[in-house]
Amino acid sequence: MKVVSQIREPIEHEMELFEEKFLTSMSSKVALFNRITYYIINRKGKQMRPMFVFLTAKLINEGVVNDRTYCGASIIELIHTASLVHDDVVDDSHKRRGFFSINALWKNKIAVLVGDFLFSKGVLVALENKDYDLLHIISNAVRDMSEGELLQIEKARLLDITEDVYYDIIRQKTATLIAACCSMGACSVKPDSEDVETFRKFGELCGMAFQIKDDLFDYGSEKIGKPTGIDIKEQKMTLPLIYALNQSDKEKKRWLINSIKNHNKDKKRVKEVIAYVKEKGGLEYAVTKMLSFKDEALGLLDNYPDSEYKSALSLMVNYVVDRKK
């Protein structure tokens, strides 16, 4: 059985019901919107974020979820989908999960409007159910995601990013939404419990490990085969690169920064940067940090009794760092 299927197994019934509710939550009176959302749904990913919501809720509530849990999962998936649509516009990306992106098929203006529509739907799902606490969680996440993206753009211009600033960026840009998934799952069944903060932290740690793994893919993987160097071309300062910079003398630092600033489209130069980062131990350092975040996340689960939901969440955390793409 594939790992994702194993993770999903204890919440299979909930995920099937969620997909029905989610489809309903995306409906519009405008035919064009429905055509586009139908295209999105038929090319959905693994739906890891709703799975985090359901597994967390079931873990802390003896295997029982409620309407608020379904509401939380729908809010998360709507906001996540909206952010992906907007990201493709911002990055001028024409492919998403191997298929044409919304902006590639319907142009930027429509893609931005679709993203806005999905964001508003996410807010409305919470308001219609009077789930103001869930709305508060997702609103904080959206704010953090926007700030994280802007911080990354700001730092890419100056290339003055430290390791601490890098963690701030990935915490806001990526980890905050997974933190929202887990805290929302906990909040849906035990709104005023300490579990809400515990699982917010758990999700954040998973998200940090997830993003570092993504950064490592830029240097090649079994699935990808060869290094991509996309982050370097986009002047993104990731952890392996930051570590290599910190281990370099002034001359090498100048060469690295000059390569990223002025020669990031030069394939030969990008290859040289990748080789240098590997030589300085940047990949090993990033892996060590990623595993540290993973272990801290798993440590938070130790306080909860064993169950199939706890096992699935542990499997999810390990999958985040072991995945091949």
Side-chain angles (χ1 to χ4, degrees):
M1 190 187 287
K2 285 185 177 177
V3 177
V4 177
S5 302
Q6 282 179 267
I7 296 166
R8 189 179 159 120
E9 195 177 11
I11 50 166
E12 190 64 55
H13 171 70
E14 286 80 9
M15 287 299 292
E16 285 173 9
L17 191 52
F18 156 73
E19 285 177 22
E20 290 172 25
K21 289 174 181 275
F22 181 61
L23 186 58
T24 306
S25 71
M26 286 179 87
S27 63
S28 163
K29 291 175 184 172
V30 178
L32 178 58
F33 267 128
N34 287 330
R35 194 154 74 246
I36 295 169
T37 54
Y38 180 78
Y39 178 82
I40 291 169
I41 281 172
N42 278 309
R43 284 150 190 84
K44 66 180 184 289
K46 299 181 188 76
Q47 295 186 310
M48 303 298 275
R49 285 157 189 83
M51 285 159 69
F52 268 119
V53 176
F54 288 115
L55 286 170
T56 302
K58 293 190 93 170
L59 171 62
I60 67 166
N61 201 40
E62 298 176 350
V64 179
V65 298
N66 56 28
D67 287 342
R68 276 165 52 82
T69 316
Y70 286 99
C71 173
S74 293
I75 294 166
I76 285 288
E77 194 68 351
L78 283 162
I79 299 296
H80 175 56
T81 307
S83 71
L84 294 182
V85 173
H86 279 171
D87 281 352
D88 287 340
V89 175
V90 171
D91 298 337
D92 197 24
S93 175
H94 291 162
K95 284 287 181 80
R96 167 70 60 181
R97 298 182 185 121
F99 297 97
F100 285 114
S101 58
I102 304 303
N103 50 304
L105 293 173
W106 285 280
K107 307 301 177 196
N108 283 351
K109 186 175 181 179
I110 287 176
V112 169
L113 292 169
V114 167
D116 291 347
F117 172 77
L118 294 171
F119 267 118
S120 69
K121 278 286 191 177
V123 171
L124 283 168
V125 166
L127 289 174
E128 283 163 4
N129 294 285
K130 296 186 171 58
D131 289 319
Y132 304 120
D133 49 356
L134 302 186
L135 181 59
H136 189 258
I137 290 170
I138 199 62
S139 299
N140 281 330
V142 171
R143 178 202 61 204
D144 288 348
M145 286 158 68
S146 306
E147 285 183 350
E149 287 287 356
L150 284 168
L151 180 60
Q152 185 169 58
I153 291 166
E154 178 191 310
K155 293 298 179 181
R157 286 175 182 163
L158 302 169
L159 296 183
D160 65 344
I161 183 167
T162 62
E163 193 170 324
D164 285 343
V165 171
Y166 165 80
Y167 292 136
D168 283 341
I169 290 170
I170 68 169
R171 186 175 288 110
Q172 290 182 296
K173 199 174 78 109
T174 303
T176 192
L177 190 61
I178 299 176
C181 297
C182 299
S183 57
M184 209 175 265
C187 190
S188 71
V189 291
K190 292 192 177 177
D192 299 312
S193 67
E194 288 179 10
D195 296 314
V196 179
E197 173 54 24
T198 299
F199 277 93
R200 185 204 65 76
K201 185 66 181 170
F202 169 80
E204 184 181 275
L205 291 163
C206 290
M208 300 291 278
F210 179 93
Q211 187 57 55
I212 295 173
K213 180 69 173 183
D214 258 17
D215 293 346
L216 285 162
F217 284 139
D218 207 44
Y219 294 87
S221 76
E222 291 168 40
K223 203 82 174 178
I224 297 168
K226 59 186 180 192
T228 63
I230 290 167
D231 288 339
I232 295 165
K233 287 168 195 157
E234 293 176 358
Q235 297 187 343
K236 286 180 184 170
M237 298 289 283
T238 59
L239 191 54
L241 188 55
I242 293 164
Y243 179 80
L245 264 172
N246 290 339
Q247 302 302 307
S248 304
D249 57 29
K250 280 185 182 177
E251 193 182 329
K252 269 296 182 185
K253 269 185 184 172
R254 271 199 301 272
W255 175 79
L256 264 177
I257 289 169
N258 182 38
S259 300
I260 296 154
K261 230 174 192 170
N262 305 313
H263 304 281
N264 53 49
K265 301 289 189 288
D266 180 339
K267 286 182 181 177
K268 183 173 177 287
R269 191 73 166 257
V270 169
K271 274 184 184 173
E272 286 171 5
V273 170
I274 287 170
Y276 180 74
V277 170
K278 287 181 174 179
E279 182 194 319
K280 296 304 283 186
L283 270 60
E284 288 86 350
Y285 182 78
V287 167
T288 301
K289 288 293 182 182
M290 175 184 73
L291 295 177
S292 173
F293 283 120
K294 179 201 83 165
D295 290 342
E296 203 180 331
L298 290 172
L300 291 175
L301 293 181
D302 287 343
N303 303 320
Y304 293 86
D306 290 343
S307 68
E308 57 184 327
Y309 317 114
K310 179 178 170 178
S311 298
L313 276 174
S314 297
L315 202 55
M316 183 94 91
V317 179
N318 283 298
Y319 172 74
V320 159
V321 301
D322 294 335
R323 64 202 164 96
K324 304 295 182 213
K325 63 176 179 176

